[in-house]
Amino acid sequence: MKKNLLSIAVAGLMALAGTASAQDYPTRPVTLVVPFAAGGPTDTVARLIGASMSKTLGQQVVVENVAGAGGTLGPARVAKAPADGYTLLLHHIGMATTATLYRKLPFNALTDFEYIGLVGESPMTIIARKTLAPAKLSDLVAYAKENKDKVTLANAGVGAASHLCGMLFQSAVGVPLTTVPYKGTGPAMNDIVAGQVDILCDQTTNTTEQIKGNTVKAYAVTTKARVSSLKDLPTTAEAGMPSVEVGIWHGVYAPKGTPKPALDKLVAALKVAMKDQTVVARYGDLGLDPVADADVTPGALQAKLKSEIDKWAPVIKAAGVYAD
Ligand code: ASP
């Protein structure tokens, strides 16, 4: 009897301590996992947002690049991390496309995570090494058809946004090209600039400065409307390739079971980041659209993920591209 009372008291104290520690959150640095190499668009967004969230949370948000396997290693790592609010994931559309692309995944995007919110949308751009001859998109298509055995298409692995855009590009060209996978856009961009690989379709987050600096050739932006930071660049529709239309959304996730008080603080800090003048200005320079306050919510990210899985599943199935 005594023992029972004691264990009830201990359990009560532990529950109280648990609540208190969840409410004190965060008391140490928070890791934000990026599933691609440093220097790429996902990394850029994570570092920008992480810096702002650090100020609000009063603890450092440290970006960790867990790159490889088309961006699937990062979510796998976060899905298995302790659900205590100290390990988060920033990922893009790949959370939705890999659900169909991969026959087997070590995580389930719909059941293994808590959702924090959407963090913006980025157009893609079709670019090439500067020395590639074609001047406009229609010339690039003709060139790719004529040289299909030697043209190379860089991407950040099966499941990356660049892979998705590359698939759309190849099906518009009508011939399969040789793809060269990297661990992220950072290293892929280095090789485009160095002239080691021919074509890349990637986010304006990383292509804008290269396009403006004239270190790469740019052909089109993949959104319906032109992007104000690259206003001379035609849309794919204007350049004769309307089927290559894609925007890359990003979201922040936590492991399933992360305590609600921690999630609430993370949502609040993310909302502040989306309005942070440094973030807003940099987003503008890089052609990124910040999201409306109402979309910086768990529900908005969850709904987006579900709708994007449904949107891309038939496209991927029709293309017959799968990874193991
Ligand atoms: N932009 C890359 C992609 O193709 C990944 C990265 O952010 O490095 O998905």
Side-chain angles (χ1 to χ4, degrees):
M1 179 67 179
K2 248 190 191 159
K3 201 177 164 207
N4 277 350
L5 277 178
L6 187 67
S7 47
I8 290 167
V10 170
L13 278 174
M14 279 171 67
L16 271 179
T19 318
S21 65
Q23 242 120 43
D24 290 346
Y25 169 87
T27 55
R28 56 187 167 89
V30 175
T31 298
L32 181 56
V33 169
V34 166
F36 296 104
T42 315
D43 183 70
T44 302
V45 170
R47 284 174 202 275
L48 255 178
I49 287 168
S52 174
M53 289 177 79
S54 298
K55 283 187 273 170
T56 310
L57 294 170
Q59 287 289 341
Q60 211 50 37
V61 174
V62 182
V63 171
E64 187 184 331
N65 301 89
V66 182
T72 58
L73 299 183
R77 151 88 195 279
V78 175
K80 289 181 184 64
D84 54 9
Y86 290 97
T87 310
L88 309 176
L89 170 73
L90 191 144
H91 203 346
H92 62 21
I93 192 169
M95 277 296 260
T97 55
T98 54
T100 308
L101 272 170
Y102 281 75
R103 289 199 176 88
K104 257 194 285 162
L105 272 181
F107 62 90
N108 183 323
L110 291 172
T111 55
D112 287 348
F113 299 93
E114 302 290 345
Y115 306 97
I116 294 169
L118 285 158
V119 292
E121 186 133 348
S122 163
M124 304 289 272
T125 43
I126 301 173
I127 63 162
R129 66 177 160 84
K130 211 184 153 192
T131 46
L132 201 75
K136 42 183 210 302
L137 194 59
S138 52
D139 300 338
L140 182 66
V141 172
Y143 177 88
K145 279 185 176 154
E146 273 160 36
N147 298 282
K148 62 178 186 330
D149 295 330
K150 69 172 210 241
V151 170
T152 51
L153 184 60
N155 68 34
V158 176
S162 45
H163 171 253
L164 177 64
C165 189
M167 275 182 8
L168 298 174
F169 175 77
Q170 284 186 89
S171 67
V173 172
V175 292
L177 303 171
T178 304
T179 51
V180 184
Y182 292 82
K183 284 193 170 174
T185 301
M189 184 63 84
N190 289 344
D191 272 9
I192 286 274
V193 172
Q196 303 288 338
V197 63
D198 296 327
I199 303 170
L200 171 68
C201 180
D202 219 304
Q203 286 121 287
T204 53
T205 325
N206 269 65
T207 60
T208 302
E209 282 168 2
Q210 303 295 349
I211 294 168
K212 288 190 167 160
N214 206 25
T215 59
V216 298
K217 208 166 243 182
Y219 295 96
V221 62
T222 66
T223 34
K224 268 208 174 73
R226 288 194 182 202
V227 176
S228 58
S229 49
L230 289 168
K231 57 181 182 337
D232 296 334
L233 198 60
T235 64
T236 37
E238 286 172 328
M241 199 181 266
S243 58
V244 183
E245 193 203 304
V246 58
I248 305 305
W249 52 275
H250 283 87
V252 180
Y253 305 78
K256 190 80 187 170
T258 301
K260 175 104 173 38
L263 289 175
D264 289 347
K265 283 190 183 168
L266 291 165
V267 173
L270 192 57
K271 280 181 180 287
V272 173
M274 285 292 100
K275 294 201 181 93
D276 183 318
Q277 278 319 302
T278 312
V279 175
V280 172
R282 195 75 187 125
Y283 263 39
D285 291 345
L286 300 178
L288 289 159
D289 288 327
V291 290
D293 194 61
D295 287 334
V296 193
T297 57
L301 174 56
Q302 188 175 21
K304 180 78 172 177
L305 178 69
K306 280 189 179 149
S307 74
E308 290 276 293
I309 289 175
D310 293 346
K311 173 179 168 180
W312 292 107
V315 179
I316 293 163
K317 283 179 185 154
V321 204
Y322 293 101
D324 289 312

